[in-house]
Amino acid sequence: MKTIEQIAAELQGYDPQALSADRVNDFLARLVEPVGQTEDVAVFDALGRVLAHDVVSPISVPPHDNSAMDGFAFDSAQQQPGQPLRLRVVGTAFAGKAWAGAVAAGECLKIMTGAIMPPGLDTVVPLEFVKTEGEHIVVPLGVVGAGDNRRLLGEDLMAGQAALRQGQTLGPAALGLVASLGLPTVRVFRRVRVAYFSTGDEILSLGEPAREGAVYDSNRYTVFGLLTRLGVEVMDMGVVRDEPAALEAAFRDAARQADAIITSGGVSMGEADHTKAMMKQLGDVAFWRIAMRPGRPMAVGRIEEAGKSAVLFGLPGNPVAVMVTFLAFVRPALQRLMGGTASAPVLLQARSAEALRKKPGRTEYQRGIVVRDAAGTLTVRTTGNQGSGVLSSMVQANGLIVLHHGQGNVAVGDVVDVMMFDGVV
Ligand code: AMP
Ligand code: MG
């Protein structure tokens, strides 16, 4: 495990007072190490878990050549150019059992979808294409070519081939693929536990009466939602008062029980409170000003307690800044902690329906609404007020317009990148 100082020394041009968004991710990739421990879980319990090994296919899927249609299987070598083919039907092959007989020249076999193709037969003509004449069928000209409607042994996966790679998060398709290999369990990384709490004396918990100058805590709820969708175990620690003893107890408790700690509030420049001081006292922590908007201040590091350590993400307090810094930095870092292969979100390109003011030298994340216009082009407009406290903008948006570090003003019709929310926010 590297210290903050060691990582800082490795990164060219590291300036904690003006860090680019890319640099933040470079830093976090060095700070965060995968949990490592694994467990075997049943396929139904593996949804959202991260695979801890390559899954090599023990069998070929499908295990035999088989029919892709209900129809008649025959040897296409018998087809003569310009002539319909007349064949005698000698039996029926059903899915699930091999057909035992032999099919000679001039013969064919009625065959159901999924049934094994007997040796020597390579083509299936669908039922609806043939004319039946008593015991015979006539395959008209041009309805099938050699090899049509036959699925080949191993066309999905060959025995010995890697079906899934370590680090892959198992989604519905992957669960099905594992099951198709006949594997009842998979080895996954143990679940990561993330503790989170809000700080600030002006923050009210739900159920407390409103009072002047105070706001209800929203960050714990957005963080809860983001973490739950990521598939980690959550540990909600409430709102922690701005008192050294309360903060110390919370940080120690979190570090003892969790793999990562997320706090919100108390890390900005002008903070008169104790959060930063306690982070500094208990951990190896860097305090940054990131060249981004929203979300400039952030604390990152590690807190050790009872012989183990937890990664700390001290997020800013503003509700939109919390979500944006989570999506831009915390989420990829946690994926790494979970053992996953880091995958940058696929940015979609859309035409901006409005002019956007943007200063080069920082990354901006504007809340965007992407629609397909009448001409079929993806266009994006902002939700309006981009204040970092305007949480309703995150609800209206379906993605974040990412205006990159070096980018300047955007004119109407310019193409911009959008990080879509689908399933994440
Ligand atoms: P701070 O980063 O502590 O200076 O907070 C910045 C702004 O975010 C202030 O207006 C806080 O009141 C607000 N804020 C901080 N924490 C929360 C929270 N948990 N829920 C809602 N607003 C918050
Ligand atoms: Mg504060």
Side-chain angles (χ1 to χ4, degrees), residues 199-203 242 264-268 271-273 275 317:
T199 69
D201 278 346
E202 81 281 27
I203 307 303
D242 187 35
S264 69
V267 292
S268 50
E271 286 294 330
D273 60 24
T275 305

Side-chain angles (χ1 to χ4, degrees), residues 1-244:
M1 259 192 278
K2 290 176 187 159
T3 64
I4 295 289
E5 201 181 312
Q6 285 167 336
I7 300 170
E10 279 176 22
L11 288 179
Q12 292 246 321
Y14 170 76
D15 178 0
Q17 291 306 305
L19 217 52
S20 71
D22 286 347
R23 267 292 122 89
V24 171
N25 282 319
D26 291 344
F27 194 107
L28 292 176
R30 287 169 160 85
L31 178 75
V32 175
E33 288 168 12
V35 287
Q37 299 101 319
T38 64
E39 58 181 326
D40 290 340
V41 297
V43 181
F44 275 133
D45 297 322
L47 184 64
R49 303 296 296 274
V50 179
L51 201 56
H53 63 127
D54 289 352
V55 172
V56 174
S57 184
I59 55 171
S60 293
V61 182
H64 314 278
D65 286 9
N66 69 90
S67 177
M69 300 286 279
D70 292 340
F72 297 91
F74 65 99
D75 175 5
S76 66
Q78 300 174 85
Q79 276 182 311
Q80 298 297 325
Q83 281 179 24
L85 183 62
R86 192 165 188 277
L87 298 164
R88 196 168 78 85
V89 183
V90 295
T92 304
F94 293 96
K97 356 185 203 323
W99 191 72
V103 182
E107 295 178 344
C108 70
L109 183 66
K110 191 170 185 182
I111 194 163
M112 299 301 141
T113 304
I116 298 173
M117 293 284 282
L121 310 187
D122 65 349
T123 301
V124 174
V125 56
L127 283 178
E128 56 273 29
F129 288 168
V130 304
K131 276 198 298 244
T132 308
E133 296 173 354
E135 284 196 329
H136 289 77
I137 59 160
V138 176
V139 182
L141 280 179
V143 297
V144 276
D148 281 359
N149 304 313
R150 174 181 54 159
R151 301 174 183 145
L152 297 175
L153 178 151
E155 74 174 20
D156 188 354
L157 286 167
M158 274 297 187
Q161 191 185 334
L164 293 162
R165 293 290 181 190
Q166 177 184 329
Q168 167 149 14
T169 300
L170 298 168
L175 291 196
L177 192 66
V178 168
S180 79
L181 304 179
L183 301 173
T185 62
V186 276
R187 184 155 298 175
V188 295
F189 289 108
R190 77 158 167 82
R191 216 186 264 282
V192 159
R193 183 190 280 182
V194 182
Y196 56 93
F197 56 88
S198 298
T199 69
D201 278 346
E202 81 281 27
I203 307 303
L204 297 172
S205 288
L206 294 182
E208 287 187 83
R211 64 166 194 271
E212 204 183 318
V215 293
Y216 282 106
D217 179 12
S218 57
N219 292 341
R220 264 167 64 221
Y221 299 88
T222 49
V223 168
F224 156 81
L226 290 162
L227 289 174
T228 301
R229 287 207 162 167
L230 184 58
V232 301
E233 197 181 303
V234 295
M235 180 175 157
D236 175 34
M237 300 182 67
V239 178
V240 177
R241 289 185 316 281
D242 187 35
E243 290 167 6

Side-chain angles (χ1 to χ4, degrees), residues 346-350 368 370 380 398-402 416-420:
V346 176
L347 299 177
L348 178 147
Q349 293 200 314
V370 177
V380 64
N398 58 7
L400 288 176
I401 302 169
V402 183
V416 290
D417 280 343
V418 186
M419 184 197 291
M420 295 302 288

Side-chain angles (χ1 to χ4, degrees), residues 195-199 235 237 240-258 260-267 274-283 285 287 299 302-305 308-314:
Y196 56 93
F197 56 88
S198 298
T199 69
M235 180 175 157
M237 300 182 67
V240 177
R241 289 185 316 281
D242 187 35
E243 290 167 6
L247 285 163
E248 178 170 357
F251 278 118
R252 287 194 190 282
D253 197 22
R256 191 164 40 239
Q257 296 192 58
I261 307 166
I262 298 176
T263 64
S264 69
V267 292
H274 300 286
T275 305
K276 274 167 94 171
M278 194 49 67
M279 288 177 176
K280 208 176 280 181
Q281 184 186 321
L282 296 178
V285 181
F287 296 91
R302 216 183 259 114
I303 294 183
E304 249 165 87
E305 176 69 11
K308 66 171 283 295
S309 83
V311 183
L312 171 71
F313 302 96

